[in-house]
Amino acid sequence: MPRQSLAAETRRFTRRWAAALAEAVSPARQPEDIERVLEPLVKDLVRAVSSDPLTRDAARDVGMALVEANFRNARSLNRTITLLGTGFVEELGEALGLDDEQGVASVAALQGAVAEGFSLALRSRMLRERHTTQAAALAAARASESRRRTSEARFRAVFTEASVGIAIVDPDGSILEVNAALAGILDRADDVCTGLPIADVIADDLPAKTRANLARLLAGETGRFRAECVRTGADGRPMRLDVTLSAVADEEGEIDFLIGVVVDLTECRALEAQLWHEARHDELTGLPNRKLFLERLAESERLAGLCYVDLDGFKSFNDGLGHDTGDRLLIAVTKRLQQVANVEGVRVARLGGDEFVLLIEDDGTDADRVAHYAERTLDTLAAPIRIGDDEYSITASIGVVHTAAAGTAPSELMRAADISLQRAKALGRARWERYDPDRGAEEATKHELATAIPLALTRDEFVLDYQPMVTLPDSVVSGFEALVRWRHPQLGLLGPDRFIPLAEQTGHIVALGRWVLEQACAQARCWYDEFRDVPVVVSVNVAATQLREASFVNDVLGALDAAGLPADRLQLELTESAVAGDTTCALAALTELDAAGVGLAIDDFGTGYSNLAHLGRLPVHTLKIDRSFLSPMRPGGPTDPAHDKIVAATISLAHSLGLDVAAEGVETPAQVEALRVLHCDSAQGFLFGAPASADDATTLIAHRIATADSA
């Protein structure tokens, strides 16, 4: 939306807010005057909700500014909160670029922050007035005789006009006089209060400790008394009063009288309680949220275990049917979970999204009790859920953890519950899985490895080994495949099978693959400089995730340019699955790299789609046959009369498509001979050399040159 439209919507919202506040304050103030006060506050609200995440400090300052501008009654706050929940989204949401979900979330946070600031400022202002009043009273009471009349006049003005309650109390604790503000707080005439014990006026029944402190003040053992007292108001509801009594002594040091200052904290305490509840409960379902759940988890002394519940496929449900239907489904699921938890010792909370948790408490001896509630949860969710005229089926995966297996530390319990939940999902969903400490340790190691990959890259913990590739039939070294290893500081040297799948799952494969590409190109440039007359190609594996990255082509060409390596000295190896299906993006990237002169190979052919006709449409140059194709060629391998025909047909068809064929996993001379008969172009495997360091690979190239020269 154009900037002028945002400005117009801002002015419209300011006018609505000013009109709402004009009706809430007394004496009345002109809307035009109120608008001038609100204009900068609306700008602060716009800036707060435009930031991601929302700037809570700025929103709290708006609430404080309302109090400082004398909009400090409950009606002003209620009308402000109501207007933020309706007009703000309706009038400014589109101008700010907020969708419905973002608008609801932002406004909910905005309302809470404004209310919090209002509460803090209101309490601060009341306390300032109380301190000012008390200081003035004490100063007046202790003034010298020559200034007594002036001081008494000032005190009388403060006493009469103060917005906080003031009482003058005799040394025995009986009220001598109250001001109009205190009479209003107590909802009784000032003359009715006269003569009543201060203890009976400020509270229904003072606790024993508080009554003892008051007695110490009246006995002259202390000069000040303060307490928060509770009394029943005229409407029958409890009031919370902040009461301070200070003794004023005569010239002999005896108590002459007491000055009491009373502040009504009822609205402040109610607002604080509301804010506490909102901060610890889920807005949609009303369940305890993650914050309150973790507090209860840490405080529990009879914890038995947890059931970590995650709805299966909820994201697809939400995306397909809309968030409104998704929210109604979550509410229905909540009601069913509350039925399961409707017994002593079981609590349910919503951790966020479609994740719930049951906290089960008992004496800790029955390990099956936790699993029992997992079974009950699955049974309860089994029946279809009706929303309007439609019925929907929903299932859940549940991670079950007992304290006997994972201990009682909240962090360990949640980690164990998450591990068992992920296992339940991996095994097919709609089921529960119990935490196994041994398996949990393995999963924890995987998780630690997955999260440590970015840091390991910065610490140079990854290294490359190089396995030779040779031409057939002469077995001359033509290049090296770069294979990444991880020198882990605790676990030692890790092969790619330990961390490459984790990197692909987490998306770290993009950064790791870019590093491998840069290092391999840099090493190939060293070989190019040292052995310029020997064509040595470096081959680098590429994951499907990398190929889908928009920056992939630039990453490859950038690595070549940074190393100064000719493009024909680099070969990229891609799996069949990486280029299967919709190959529009892959085809565009591979075509550009092919045009630049980069070699392209299909790796592990035979383990995936094995669709040569499909591969023929891609600009690839080499087909690498998986090692499993060579199993029958090994001594003692399985005998299959049709095997040689399949391999021969594969090689023949690849040649007819203009592809070179390379065999992987070659270990015996017999396999080499068989591959030569079948006209395979090249090979690699332990027979020609295991993966080794760059220095060893350099030695192998030098040996090849020396052998060729001696021949």
Side-chain angles (χ1 to χ4, degrees), residues 296-304 361-363 408:
R296 289 177 173 175
L297 184 61
E299 295 168 356
S300 177
E301 297 179 353
R302 301 176 60 251
L303 183 61
E361 297 176 309
D362 64 11
D363 57 11
T408 58

Side-chain angles (χ1 to χ4, degrees), residues 60 80 205 218:
R60 278 196 294 266
T80 296
D205 184 21
L218 297 177

Side-chain angles (χ1 to χ4, degrees), residues 586-587 589-592 594 598-601 615-621 659:
L587 180 61
L590 297 180
T591 300
E592 188 172 349
D594 174 53
V598 176
L600 303 171
L615 298 179
R617 293 191 291 270
L618 298 173
V620 295
H621 313 113
L659 302 175

